Amino acid sequence: MKVLIGGGGTGGHVFPAIAIAKALKKEDNNIELLFVGALGKIEMEKVPAEGFKIIGLPSAGFQRKQIFKNITLPFKLAKCMLMSKKIIKDFSPDIAVGVGGYASGPILKAAANAGIPIVIQEQNSHAGLTNRLLAEKAVKVFTAYEGMEKYFDKSKIVLTGNPVRPDIVENNASREEALKYFGLVPNKKTLLSLGGSLGAGTINKSILSKVEQLQESGIQVIWQTGKYYFDSIEKELKQKNCPDIHAMPFISRMDLAYKISDVVISRSGALSVSELCIAGKPVVFVPSPNVAEDHQTKNAEALVSKSAAMMVSDIQAQEKLVELVLELCKDEKKQTLLKNNIEKLAISNSSCIIAREIINLAKK
């Protein structure tokens, strides 16, 4: 059996795709897999690192802020379609899986045009434009949230949750291992700050502006800054003498970070939300405003409405975020409420459900 997986652009698309691929190989190790991503994006590094083959397309999304950059978009899309058509012909998959992002559209469209069944995995509570357009030809749509009938044909929807990396689902790591890995002390509360794989400018500024307050509070902080922000933040932390604030460009061992954290600050991308549900952590979301149709706010609101998370808007974060987080770190009752409610929303076997559906559809 041959399965093609198309899409990427961000960790929120790539890591679920890798989780699906691993689940497919676990179900049937003889399945041949091919990823199609976008050149220059995170998938071109992460997918080969997991041992999977990937082909990159010179794909590009619509630029909402710099409209003039869209002049070359039709030519890039035309080239992508020609390349996609050749990939489909050469690989001849039994089924194609779209995970959203830059490369998902051309390759899934080429597959559908060739008569190959396609399925879509929609991570967000607000469906992206590419997936909404592809859904007309899809045989199944795997969703992470309820109420997606407003975007997709109800008969095609399978509620699966979002695929999450196995190490986070299983998380057999010990607290002692996590303490040693991050260089933390056992008798302090731990705050984990995440801004996605590239970091988040607003979250970074919010923490940095009140970093002395965090240092004096008696909690310790694991701070994923993103590689673009790390050098300047590390320099400032040394100047301000903040030994309890542990900044790093990227956290490879998220299982250990979740194991040790008491409270989390996070953007509300689909993957982050799903991981936090499974990890069962009290979280304050700061939705990114720089995403299509403000879908991160909708993701966060889906949890806030169930008393499963707290939220601060991006525009209010510098003023309110640190104070709110420090209050939450002191409020054990509130932490327990958020933890219990967010755990109820977790679907831990999502990748297995999707893999089995894909295999059954391909056999048909």
Side-chain angles (χ1 to χ4, degrees):
M1 186 182 292
K2 293 182 176 182
V3 180
L4 183 144
I5 301 176
T10 66
H13 294 302
V14 175
F15 293 124
I18 291 170
I20 292 169
K22 287 182 175 180
L24 283 165
K25 293 296 277 185
K26 192 173 181 180
E27 292 290 324
D28 181 354
N29 195 44
N30 293 318
I31 289 174
E32 189 177 345
L33 290 159
L34 175 65
F35 282 76
V36 176
L39 289 170
K41 297 297 180 181
I42 187 173
E43 58 266 30
M44 302 309 294
E45 175 193 341
K46 297 297 180 185
V47 169
E50 295 290 345
F52 298 113
K53 184 181 176 184
I54 186 168
I55 297 173
L57 298 176
S59 197
F62 183 80
Q63 297 293 323
R64 291 172 173 80
K65 291 188 175 179
Q66 296 173 299
I67 300 295
F68 69 92
K69 287 191 175 182
N70 295 311
I71 293 169
T72 60
L73 188 59
F75 304 101
K76 288 180 179 178
L77 288 174
K79 186 176 181 180
C80 284
M81 284 308 301
L82 286 171
M83 289 179 68
S84 295
K85 191 175 178 181
K86 186 176 187 306
I87 291 167
I88 294 297
K89 185 180 178 182
D90 292 346
F91 185 60
S92 188
D94 295 292
I95 192 166
V97 183
V99 296
Y102 296 105
S104 185
I107 196 67
L108 268 288
K109 193 171 190 299
N113 289 344
I116 291 156
I118 68 169
V119 297
I120 291 165
Q121 197 260 321
E122 174 55 62
Q123 294 106 3
N124 292 294
S125 61
H126 183 89
L129 179 60
T130 301
N131 277 352
R132 295 205 303 266
L133 294 172
L134 290 169
E136 291 181 22
K137 295 189 176 182
V139 291
K140 290 286 180 186
V141 180
F142 306 123
T143 65
Y145 292 88
E146 295 173 348
M148 298 301 283
E149 297 84 3
K150 57 192 168 196
Y151 306 111
F152 306 119
D153 181 341
K154 188 177 180 179
S155 65
K156 294 181 180 181
I157 293 173
V158 183
L159 181 64
T160 61
N162 274 324
V164 170
R165 290 167 281 184
D167 60 327
I168 291 168
V169 175
E170 293 156 12
N171 206 342
N172 297 318
S174 67
R175 180 176 167 81
E176 289 70 29
E177 185 185 357
L179 286 167
K180 186 178 179 182
Y181 183 85
F182 291 108
L184 304 177
V185 295
N187 60 341
K188 288 186 178 182
K189 289 270 188 184
T190 303
L191 170 66
L192 171 64
S193 178
L194 306 169
S197 55
L198 301 178
T202 300
I203 293 176
N204 288 342
K205 287 174 189 172
S206 301
I207 293 174
L208 202 56
S209 66
K210 299 182 180 178
V211 75
E212 292 100 333
Q213 192 177 339
L214 282 165
Q215 174 63 38
E216 290 165 9
S217 70
I219 66 169
Q220 52 198 353
V221 182
I222 304 170
W223 182 4
Q224 180 178 280
T225 64
K227 63 180 180 181
Y228 301 116
Y229 303 96
F230 176 69
D231 289 341
S232 61
I233 287 172
E234 186 183 41
K235 185 179 178 182
E236 195 150 348
L237 286 176
K238 284 179 180 176
Q239 289 173 349
K240 292 184 175 181
N241 189 27
C242 298
D244 289 333
I245 316 298
H246 302 262
M248 54 196 69
F250 184 77
I251 299 172
S252 300
R253 291 294 304 272
M254 281 305 303
D255 57 330
L256 296 179
Y258 287 135
K259 178 67 72 174
I260 200 65
S261 60
D262 297 289
V263 172
V264 181
I265 297 169
S266 178
R267 287 300 200 193
S268 47
L271 180 62
S272 298
V273 172
S274 295
E275 287 185 353
L276 286 159
C277 288
I278 288 168
K281 293 295 173 180
V283 57
V284 178
F285 287 121
V286 185
S288 171
N290 306 312
V291 294
E293 300 175 84
D294 199 25
H295 68 255
Q296 285 207 9
T297 297
K298 296 177 177 73
N299 289 349
E301 285 173 345
L303 275 73
V304 172
S305 66
K306 294 180 171 68
S307 298
M310 299 176 76
M311 181 174 75
V312 175
S313 69
D314 192 84
I315 200 166
Q316 293 181 315
Q318 286 198 55
E319 180 189 347
K320 296 184 176 181
L321 179 61
V322 169
E323 282 80 0
L324 182 65
V325 166
L326 289 174
E327 283 176 22
L328 181 57
C329 285
K330 295 174 188 172
D331 192 341
E332 298 279 354
K333 192 175 179 181
K334 182 74 171 178
Q335 287 177 44
T336 302
L337 174 70
L338 294 174
K339 177 180 168 63
N340 290 342
N341 287 337
I342 202 169
E343 283 178 335
K344 292 173 187 174
L345 304 176
I347 302 176
S348 59
N349 62 338
S350 174
S351 54
C352 295
I353 296 168
I354 293 171
R356 287 165 190 161
E357 286 275 351
I358 289 168
I359 291 167
N360 289 336
L361 289 166
K363 284 178 178 176
K364 287 178 184 176

